[in-house]
């Protein structure tokens, strides 16, 4: 177990967190006791006791037979409090609405978390609607506009990338460090990132780091179907998103009295 602060980790707490993250990552796919015990390398009896404790507390739910497990409603309450308790997210939300209305496209806010970005807010295009919210979902940072915009704010030797080949989400995703570094150099020169079907086939994205922290941890982006991405529309997207970034950064300088969360 990592000891980032020099304090020895609590094994039971780490095991609980690992279990909750595993269940959360499986979404609608329920898990069985034996499967969870095997995946986490925990004795079956210990896993059963942990699951029952979390079921009683509402963090895990089970079916009528008591054989299937999934993430519980307490996880939702905690996640919602994270969003509601973050001043930066509250300040940014109206500007997402403004950009979405101006462009008619989908606008995102995301935060870097290790090698991934996590979606914090989304304003969907009126042209196409999703039935599942992106909020809370993770995407490898190397694989899209949001993540690349944030990676470009760091030096090449400080990038939070996994070892070995990079995961491909589409045939256009960077899978080698060399190709990603070349793209990040272009992003630093340009001032924003471009994702041409690297995350989702048929979708392009433009990412803009929000520099109210150094290095930036948050970014906004605009996603648009490539079928209607004309050069004129692309120029309009870039102009509106650059203006949106400037407005947000003007509202969120380094604020005294507000914790600098890490």
């Amino acid at each position: 177990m990592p000891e980032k602060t020099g304090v020895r980790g609590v094994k039971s707490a780490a095991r609980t967190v690992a279990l909750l993250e595993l269940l959360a990552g499986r979404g609608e796919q329920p898990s069985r006791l034996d499967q969870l015990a095997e995946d986490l390398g925990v004795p079956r009896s210990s896993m059963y006791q942990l699951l029952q404790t979390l079921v009683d507390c509402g963090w895990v739910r089970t079916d009528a037979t008591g054989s299937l497990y999934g993430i519980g409603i307490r996880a939702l309450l905690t996640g919602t409090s994270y969003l509601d308790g973050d001043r930066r997210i509250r300040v940014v939300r109206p500007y997402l609405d403004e950009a979405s209305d101006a462009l008619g496209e989908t606008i995102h806010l995301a935060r870097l978390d290790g090698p991934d970005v996590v979606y914090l807010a989304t304003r969907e295009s009126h042209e196409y609607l999703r039935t599942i919210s992106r909020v809370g979902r993770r995407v490898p940072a190397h694989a899209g506009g949001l993540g690349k915009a944030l990676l470009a704010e760091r030096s090449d030797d400080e990038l939070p990338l996994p070892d070995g080949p990079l995961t491909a989400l589409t045939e256009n995703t960077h899978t080698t460090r060399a190709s990603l570094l070349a793209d990040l150099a272009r992003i630093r020169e340009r001032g924003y990132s471009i994702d041409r079907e690297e995350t989702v086939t048929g979708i392009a994205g433009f990412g803009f780091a929000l520099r109210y922290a150094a290095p930036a941890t948050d970014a906004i982006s605009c996603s648009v179907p490539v079928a209607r991405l004309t050069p004129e529309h692309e120029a309009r997207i870039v102009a509106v998103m650059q203006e949106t970034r400037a407005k947000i950064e003007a509202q969120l300088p380094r604020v005294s009295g507000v914790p600098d969360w890490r």
Side-chain angles (χ1 to χ4, degrees):
M1 182 186 308
E3 298 178 10
K4 296 182 180 179
T5 62
V7 178
R8 184 175 182 179
V10 178
K11 185 176 182 179
S12 59
R15 180 177 292 176
T16 300
V17 171
L19 172 59
L20 292 173
E21 290 183 343
L22 179 60
L23 291 173
R26 290 181 175 170
E28 297 180 359
Q29 183 64 39
S31 300
R32 295 186 178 275
L33 171 62
D34 290 344
Q35 181 184 13
L36 293 170
E38 179 179 354
D39 288 347
L40 294 180
V42 176
R44 188 179 187 279
S45 58
S46 298
M47 178 58 67
Y48 178 76
Q49 293 174 0
L50 178 55
L51 284 167
Q52 294 311 303
T53 299
L54 293 174
V55 167
D56 291 343
C57 295
W59 283 87
V60 171
R61 59 180 172 174
T62 187
D63 69 336
T65 68
S67 61
L68 297 176
Y69 298 92
I71 198 71
I73 196 169
R74 289 287 175 182
L76 170 63
L77 300 177
T78 300
T80 300
S81 68
Y82 177 88
L83 297 175
D84 292 342
D86 192 301
R87 178 179 180 273
R88 290 171 172 173
I89 298 174
R90 295 199 305 272
V91 169
V92 171
R93 281 171 174 159
Y95 294 102
L96 303 184
D97 294 330
E98 184 178 301
S100 182
D101 290 342
L103 295 169
E105 305 295 355
T106 299
I107 310 298
H108 305 293
L109 167 68
R111 181 164 292 166
L112 191 66
D113 182 35
D116 302 327
V117 290
V118 179
Y119 287 91
L120 302 178
T122 292
R123 299 296 181 264
E124 297 289 356
S125 166
H126 300 303
E127 298 293 330
Y128 61 104
L129 298 176
R130 291 170 55 96
T131 57
I132 301 176
S133 172
R134 288 185 178 87
V135 174
R137 297 184 179 274
R138 307 176 71 90
V139 173
H142 69 272
L146 288 160
K148 291 195 301 178
L150 291 169
L151 293 180
E153 295 292 304
R154 290 151 175 79
S155 63
D156 289 349
D157 59 356
E158 294 177 329
L159 299 177
L161 297 174
D163 296 330
L166 303 174
T167 301
L169 301 187
T170 74
E171 62 180 14
N172 298 313
T173 307
H174 291 293
T175 56
T176 68
R177 190 180 182 95
S179 67
L180 176 63
L181 294 183
D183 194 3
L184 295 182
R186 292 190 292 269
I187 293 168
R188 294 181 187 114
E189 182 177 355
R190 188 192 305 122
Y192 61 91
S193 67
I194 301 177
D195 162 10
R196 299 199 187 277
E197 302 184 78
E198 297 172 31
T199 309
V200 179
T201 300
I203 301 294
F206 302 85
F208 301 78
L210 298 175
R211 297 169 178 140
Y212 44 63
T217 58
D218 297 349
I220 55 174
S221 74
C222 175
S223 297
V224 56
V226 295
R228 64 165 183 265
L229 184 60
T230 63
E232 294 76 17
H233 192 33
E234 179 170 331
R236 167 81 171 147
I237 287 171
V238 171
V240 169
M241 294 302 291
Q242 287 176 328
E243 182 181 0
T244 301
R245 170 166 63 182
K247 290 179 179 178
I248 293 171
E249 291 176 348
Q251 290 294 318
L252 281 169
R254 293 181 178 272
V255 182
S256 61
V258 176
D260 183 16
W261 298 112
R262 299 297 183 186

